[in-house]
């Protein structure tokens, strides 16, 4: 029996009536996205919500958290006054395992190094009725797809790639931990009703083209911010031809275009996957509700009438792509890569090829990559680059080992890392990375920002499908095109790699000895949550201060960030992951990766107290000790990347009062609001250029803070001259209450008192 089958059957039982009501309300055929959203409303409505405008309360079906973000989420939940979570919830220990040697050694080291964090997570999940997937069980998104995702459902997760579950027809959305706290506490979850992008897929993939190439192509079209505020719905005969896990790959990397989430209609590939993962009961229930698990027929016939934007891709013509370097939306067909690399001075020698991760670690992915490796061995080739495999779950790892695929990779000197995020999130102890030498790597991950994988700003990382990455690792050449090019084997012969082949699902079924799941106690009220007062990794939280009702005045500029400023720049991962449960300690990485507009350097800003330049966190701590508020100024798409709320909690903890930027990434803007921060945008983008290094800011009308009403900031320059900047915001009445109360959590505590 599937997890939470009663909840799933209840969703299906009620969904038809809710969809019919929504269709009548809107007076038109519905997209799949609209069906799922309207079926999960927290309250009845008598008017249609406006896309991109209306703030709407939803009741998600479940919550998922990974270990790095779960620490802060659960530390917050402990303050919410609840004895048990209100919806099915899980924690997955996947982020804290460093890839260094190989799976067995790395997993043992992680269990030793992170023991107090794992003990905390084990105890707190047991206390509050939350399922716990132990270290080694797998990456959160793969485990969710294998166990919890279901067509037509709605879930939130404390990781931006929660969207992976769209591969099983869910609306699955990445959020900050405070949002997860709301839902686990039984509160509605708020989202601005998204706009809709339809992607029509025609034809069928063939040759070296893979599902990964679809999202790489889409990223090239929409860019990293083109999907912001939108849900992407894929449809067409090309969509139906894809495997369920292939759909998951596409949805997973939809986070890189800023999309709220992505999804596909329920079809036979999803049914096959559900049955293969021992969820016949979910497949049967979905079959009975099939009509509401896809858009109305008119939508797919005339998509331009029902979507805000429509993109069409012919899979018959789709070429394998590599995206990068340094951004996941720079899309290059493989046939053009050599010329592009030579033109731009990208290193052509491939040093490392890495496959797997939450994006591409399905049985199908691994089997296709293994077919390339096997073909290479048969033809007298070995990998010219280092090569590693990161299985997405113990279920996949055990099965590929049983089926001989691991042995195949070992024949080209492949190394299998633990079932964890590893290099994808910077948890990679790459030998020599500290030298910061210019080099190229290729991987099947989802992100390739500077320093992302190995901490080296000069590592040029390119994203591709697992089979293409394997071919490039064998060739050792970024410009190698397996469709047309040959390689020299150990006999000096020119040989050509065969087109990859693989199985959508294992012929002999999935198998596993210990999946790594720990069920919570039926009654956890007597369980003691383990947090040591002496710990430097875990710290119980204290509430943020409420707003005093006065204008914020005398605020100093902490930093004016230039260009791309992702959550990696604001709160780096990698070695800092160990402090994700200790707000004060992790705050020492605040904005250390942001580029200072005034000197072009990172982690070097001027203190208006001393007049000297110092590290960003140290400078901000000076301001905090002196009781001086500060402001951070940023560029476009500020906070792009992961869902990590630490990027909002750290500035809040250290005394930053407002973040003023040209535009925000969705999750980060919400995270700032949840923590009682002011997240503001320039009404006139050119006003960004008015900000000077020694500026002081005075809010003049914060007492009149209201929905739809811009705020005015008086900017006083060092020479005494002044400018008034108009700042827009998207706060609604409830979010303004979060600000007034100091945080959303403070408000929840009051309501539960």
């Amino acid at each position: 029996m599937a997890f939470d089958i009663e909840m799933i059957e209840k969703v299906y039982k009620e969904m038809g009536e809710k969809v019919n009501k929504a269709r009548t309300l809107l007076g038109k055929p519905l997209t799949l996205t609209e069906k799922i959203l309207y079926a999960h409303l927290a309250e009845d409505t008598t008017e249609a919500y406006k896309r991109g405008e209306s703030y709407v309360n939803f009741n998600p079906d479940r919550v998922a958290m990974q270990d790095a973000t779960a620490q802060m989420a659960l530390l917050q939940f402990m303050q919410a006054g609840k004895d048990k979570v209100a919806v099915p919830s899980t924690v997955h220990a996947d982020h804290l395992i460093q890839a260094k040697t190989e799976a067995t050694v790395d997993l043992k080291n992680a269990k030793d190094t992170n023991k107090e964090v794992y003990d905390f997570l084990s105890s707190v999940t047991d206390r509050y009725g939350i399922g716990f997937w132990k270290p080694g069980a797998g990456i959160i998104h793969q485990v969710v797809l294998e166990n919890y995702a279901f067509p037509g459902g709605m879930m939130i997760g404390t990781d931006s790639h929660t969207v992976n579950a769209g591969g099983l027809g869910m609306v699955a959305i990445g959020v900050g931990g405070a949002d997860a706290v709301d839902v686990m506490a039984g509160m509605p979850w708020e989202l601005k009703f998204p706009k809709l992008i339809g992607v029509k897929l025609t034809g069928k993939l063939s040759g070296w083209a893979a599902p990964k190439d679809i999202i790489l192509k889409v990223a090239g079209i929409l860019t990293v911010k083109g999907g912001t505020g939108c849900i992407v719905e894929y449809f067409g005969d090309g969509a139906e031809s894809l495997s369920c896990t292939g759909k998951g790959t596409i949805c997973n990397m939809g986070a890189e275009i800023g999309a709220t989430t992505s999804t596909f209609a329920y079809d036979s590939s999803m049914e096959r996957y559900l049955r293969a993962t021992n969820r016949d009961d979910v497949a049967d229930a979905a079959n009975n509700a099939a009509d509401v698990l896809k858009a109305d027929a008119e939508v797919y016939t005339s998509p331009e009438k029902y979507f805000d934007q429509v993109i069409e891709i012919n899979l018959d013509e789709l070429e394998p792509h590599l995206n990068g370097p340094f951004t996941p939306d720079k899309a290059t067909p493989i046939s053009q890569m050599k010329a592009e690399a030579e033109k731009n001075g990208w290193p052509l020698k491939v040093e490392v090829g890495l496959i797997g991760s939450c994006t591409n670690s399905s049985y199908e992915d691994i089997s296709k990559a293994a077919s390339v490796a096997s073909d290479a061995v048969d033809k007298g080739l070995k990998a010219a680059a280092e090569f590693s495999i990161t299985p997405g779950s113990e279920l996949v790892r055990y099965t590929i080992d049983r089926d001989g695929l691991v042995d195949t990779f070992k024949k080209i000197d492949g190394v299998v890392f633990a079932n964890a995020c590893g290099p994808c999130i910077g948890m990679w102890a790459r030998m020599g990375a500290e030298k910061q030498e210019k080099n190229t790597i290729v991987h099947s991950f989802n992100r390739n920002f500077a320093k992302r994988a190995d901490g080296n700003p000069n590592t040029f990382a390119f994203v591709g499908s697992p089979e293409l990455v394997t071919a490039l690792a064998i060739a050792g050449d970024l410009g190698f095109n397996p469709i047309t090019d040959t390689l020299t084997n150990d006999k000096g012969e020119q040989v050509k790699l065969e087109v990859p082949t693989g199985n959508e699902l294992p012929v002999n079924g999935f198998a596993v000895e210990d999946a790594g799941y720990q069920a919570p106690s039926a009654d956890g009220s007597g369980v003691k949550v383990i947090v040591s007062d002496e710990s430097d990794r875990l710290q119980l939280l204290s509430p943020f201060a409420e707003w005093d009702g006065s204008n914020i005045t005398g605020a100093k500029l902490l930093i004016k960030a230039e260009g791309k400023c992702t959550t990696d720049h604001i709160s780096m991962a990698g070695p800092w992951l160990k402090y994700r449960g200790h707000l004060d300690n992790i705050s020492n990485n605040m904005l250390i990766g942001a580029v200072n507009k005034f000197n072009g350097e990172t982690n070097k800003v001027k203190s208006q107290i001393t007049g000297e330049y110092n590290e960003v966190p140290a400078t901000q701590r000076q301001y905090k000790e002196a009781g001086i508020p500060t402001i951070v100024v940023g560029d476009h798409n500020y906070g792009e990347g992961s869902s990590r709320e630490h990027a909002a909690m750290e500035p809040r903890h250290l005394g930053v009062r407002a973040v003023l930027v040209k535009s925000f990434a969705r999750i980060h803007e919400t995270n700032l609001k949840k923590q009682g921060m002011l997240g503001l945008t320039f009404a006139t983008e050119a006003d960004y250029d008015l900000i000077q290094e020694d500026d002081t800011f005075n809010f003049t009308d914060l007492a009149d803070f209201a929905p739809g009403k811009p705020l005015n900031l008086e900017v006083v320059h060092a020479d005494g001259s002044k400018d008034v900047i108009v700042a827009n915001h998207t706060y609604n009445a409830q979010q303004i209450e979060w600000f007034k109360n100091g945080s959303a959590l403070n408000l929840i505590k009051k309501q539960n008192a």
Side-chain angles (χ1 to χ4, degrees):
M1 180 181 291
F3 287 99
D4 311 307
I5 186 61
E6 297 85 359
M7 176 270 287
I8 295 171
E9 290 175 338
K10 182 175 184 290
V11 169
Y12 288 151
K13 182 179 179 180
E14 299 174 353
M15 195 167 180
E17 181 181 350
K18 292 178 177 179
V19 167
N20 287 335
K21 286 177 63 176
R23 191 182 290 112
T24 300
L25 178 67
L26 273 64
K28 68 176 186 63
L30 300 181
T31 65
L32 170 64
T33 301
E34 289 170 321
K35 290 182 179 183
I36 298 174
L37 292 178
Y38 275 92
H40 286 84
L41 295 179
E43 58 266 323
D44 290 334
T45 181
T46 57
E47 60 181 57
Y49 293 115
K50 295 180 180 179
R51 297 178 188 173
E53 295 184 24
S54 302
Y55 280 95
V56 184
N57 287 326
F58 294 98
N59 285 330
D61 300 311
R62 67 176 313 110
V63 173
M65 296 163 279
Q66 40 96 331
D67 52 355
T69 52
Q71 295 171 66
M72 196 59 67
L74 293 173
L75 287 166
Q76 292 177 84
F77 182 76
M78 290 170 65
Q79 296 188 53
K82 295 290 185 178
D83 285 329
K84 192 172 184 177
V85 291
V87 301
S89 303
T90 53
V91 168
H92 304 257
D94 62 352
H95 273 58
L96 301 179
I97 303 168
Q98 187 179 54
K100 182 177 182 180
T101 305
E102 56 83 37
T104 304
V105 174
D106 293 345
L107 183 57
K108 182 183 184 303
N109 289 339
K111 288 179 178 179
D112 292 341
T113 303
N114 303 310
K115 184 178 186 302
E116 66 175 311
V117 173
Y118 293 147
D119 287 347
F120 164 69
L121 293 175
S122 177
S123 62
V124 74
T125 53
D126 197 22
R127 167 67 181 83
Y128 292 106
I130 300 168
F132 181 49
W133 290 82
K134 296 178 287 187
I139 306 173
I140 176 173
H141 313 302
Q142 181 71 21
V143 174
V144 165
L145 197 70
E146 292 169 356
N147 294 277
Y148 299 113
F150 67 96
M154 184 182 201
M155 70 173 288
I156 61 170
T158 60
D159 189 284
S160 56
H161 295 103
T162 299
V163 295
N164 186 78
L168 250 175
M170 291 195 89
V171 164
I173 301 174
V175 299
D179 284 334
V181 171
D182 284 355
V183 177
M184 290 190 294
M187 308 284 285
W189 171 65
E190 184 186 71
L191 176 73
K192 184 184 288 187
F193 203 92
K195 293 185 177 181
L196 304 182
I197 297 175
V199 179
K200 182 178 181 179
L201 303 178
T202 62
K204 190 174 183 178
L205 294 171
S206 62
W208 283 83
K212 184 65 161 269
D213 298 305
I214 297 173
I215 186 57
L216 295 178
K217 175 77 171 179
V218 171
I221 295 170
L222 289 175
T223 77
V224 291
K225 59 182 180 179
T228 302
C230 301
I231 290 181
V232 182
E233 185 173 325
Y234 291 84
F235 62 94
D237 61 304
E240 294 178 9
S241 72
L242 302 172
S243 68
C244 177
T245 52
K247 293 178 173 73
T249 291
I250 293 166
C251 293
N252 183 304
M253 207 173 153
E256 310 330 316
I257 58 173
T260 302
T261 192
S262 305
T263 195
F264 285 80
Y266 178 64
D267 62 15
S268 59
S269 72
M270 296 183 191
E271 179 182 359
R272 291 193 297 273
Y273 187 74
L274 286 168
R275 297 194 187 282
T277 50
N278 295 317
R279 289 177 285 173
D280 286 333
D281 42 6
V282 179
D284 292 341
N287 285 344
N288 291 332
D291 286 346
V292 294
L293 301 178
K294 59 185 177 184
D296 292 334
E298 298 92 332
V299 171
Y300 294 157
T301 301
S302 304
E304 66 282 349
K305 294 181 181 179
Y306 304 101
F307 293 99
D308 298 288
Q309 181 180 355
V310 177
I311 296 169
E312 185 167 342
I313 298 174
N314 184 348
L315 302 187
D316 290 335
E317 301 172 354
L318 185 63
E319 184 178 344
H321 278 61
L322 280 177
N323 284 27
F326 304 125
T327 186
D329 61 352
K330 186 173 181 58
T332 304
I334 191 62
S335 63
Q336 300 174 26
M337 179 51 72
K338 184 175 183 179
E340 282 293 305
E342 290 174 344
K343 180 178 72 175
N344 291 288
W346 302 335
L348 280 167
K349 182 184 178 184
V350 173
E351 303 286 349
V352 189
L354 310 99
I355 66 167
S357 85
C358 69
T359 325
N360 278 109
S361 56
S362 67
Y363 187 89
E364 180 180 43
D365 288 329
I366 302 300
S367 65
K368 284 187 174 180
S371 79
V372 178
S374 178
D375 183 45
V377 171
D378 291 344
K379 290 176 175 173
L381 298 169
K382 279 202 171 185
E386 293 180 31
F387 184 68
S388 69
I389 306 94
T390 304
S393 69
E394 177 60 11
L395 182 72
V396 167
R397 188 214 62 80
Y398 188 94
T399 305
I400 64 172
D401 192 20
R402 178 203 67 187
D403 292 351
L405 305 185
V406 171
D407 287 339
T408 297
F409 289 127
K410 287 181 179 178
K411 290 176 182 177
I412 61 167
D413 298 327
V415 175
V416 178
F417 286 142
N419 313 322
C421 300
C424 185
I425 60 160
M427 289 295 281
W428 181 22
R430 184 184 179 192
M431 187 177 296
E434 71 282 354
K435 298 176 184 177
Q436 298 196 359
E437 295 173 333
K438 188 174 179 180
N439 74 105
T440 284
I441 66 173
V442 291
H443 59 60
S444 68
F445 307 157
N446 38 46
R447 292 196 173 131
N448 58 349
F449 303 139
K451 302 184 182 181
R452 172 78 180 186
D454 62 3
N456 179 1
N458 298 311
T459 292
F460 289 61
F462 296 84
V463 182
S465 70
E467 48 265 54
L468 182 60
V469 168
T470 304
L472 293 174
I474 291 167
D477 182 1
L478 186 66
F480 174 70
N481 181 355
I483 301 172
T484 58
D485 298 348
T486 59
L487 295 170
T488 305
N489 70 5
D490 54 6
K491 296 178 182 178
E493 301 166 335
Q494 292 300 301
V495 295
K496 192 167 180 289
L497 294 174
E498 300 295 329
V499 170
T501 58
N503 294 311
E504 174 186 353
L505 298 163
V507 173
N508 296 317
F510 284 107
V512 68
E513 288 184 345
D514 179 8
Y517 177 67
Q518 173 185 295
S521 300
D523 179 4
S525 58
V527 175
K528 177 177 173 56
V529 178
I530 303 172
V531 178
S532 169
D533 292 337
E534 285 74 43
S535 175
D536 70 344
R537 296 194 61 177
L538 294 165
Q539 178 188 49
L540 297 176
L541 296 175
S542 299
F544 290 133
E546 297 183 5
W547 177 51
D548 64 6
S550 303
N551 277 316
I552 299 170
T553 58
K556 303 299 183 181
L557 177 70
L558 175 61
I559 187 172
K560 180 179 178 179
E562 179 181 32
K564 187 183 284 288
C565 191
T566 72
T567 48
D568 279 338
H569 296 88
I570 305 168
S571 175
M572 288 183 176
W576 291 94
L577 283 174
K578 64 183 179 181
Y579 296 126
R580 283 288 179 86
H582 198 294
L583 182 55
D584 194 58
N585 283 347
I586 199 170
S587 293
N588 288 322
N589 78 359
M590 185 192 72
L591 285 159
I592 63 176
V595 176
N596 184 351
K597 173 70 174 178
F598 298 108
N599 58 18
E601 298 188 51
T602 59
N603 204 22
K604 188 175 181 181
V605 295
K606 183 178 181 180
S607 167
Q608 293 190 49
I609 296 176
T610 66
E612 299 176 349
Y613 286 86
N614 203 345
E615 296 175 344
V616 181
T619 302
Q620 180 55 38
R621 288 185 185 276
Q622 289 179 348
Y623 286 128
K624 181 180 182 179
E625 186 176 352
I628 299 172
T630 57
I631 285 180
V632 169
V633 173
D635 215 318
H636 275 299
N637 209 28
Y638 184 88
E640 171 193 344
S642 77
S643 69
R644 69 191 65 151
E645 66 181 341
H646 298 76
M649 294 188 77
E650 292 172 30
R652 180 74 168 104
H653 172 66
L654 292 183
V656 177
R657 301 298 299 275
V659 180
L660 175 63
V661 301
K662 293 180 182 178
S663 65
F664 281 109
R666 174 190 63 85
I667 298 176
H668 187 63
E669 182 180 22
T670 300
N671 285 346
L672 290 171
K673 293 177 179 180
K674 286 278 184 175
Q675 300 305 332
M677 294 275 282
L678 289 172
L680 310 172
T681 56
F682 291 99
T684 303
E685 285 187 10
D687 285 351
Y688 171 89
D689 298 323
L690 297 176
I691 307 298
Q692 298 175 25
E693 193 169 28
D694 295 310
D695 281 347
T696 300
F697 299 81
N698 299 311
F699 284 83
T700 61
D701 53 3
L702 196 52
D704 300 323
F705 193 14
K709 187 177 187 296
L711 294 171
N712 291 284
L713 284 80
E714 179 186 68
V715 185
V716 183
H717 305 300
D719 62 3
S721 63
K722 300 178 180 179
D723 285 299
V724 175
I725 288 177
V726 179
N728 291 333
H729 66 83
T730 60
Y731 288 73
N732 59 24
Q734 176 176 270
Q735 293 167 348
I736 291 174
E737 289 302 310
W738 298 344
F739 169 74
K740 290 180 177 179
N741 283 275
S743 71
L745 182 59
N746 287 353
L747 189 58
I748 290 176
K749 289 171 66 177
K750 284 185 179 180
Q751 293 168 339
N752 288 332

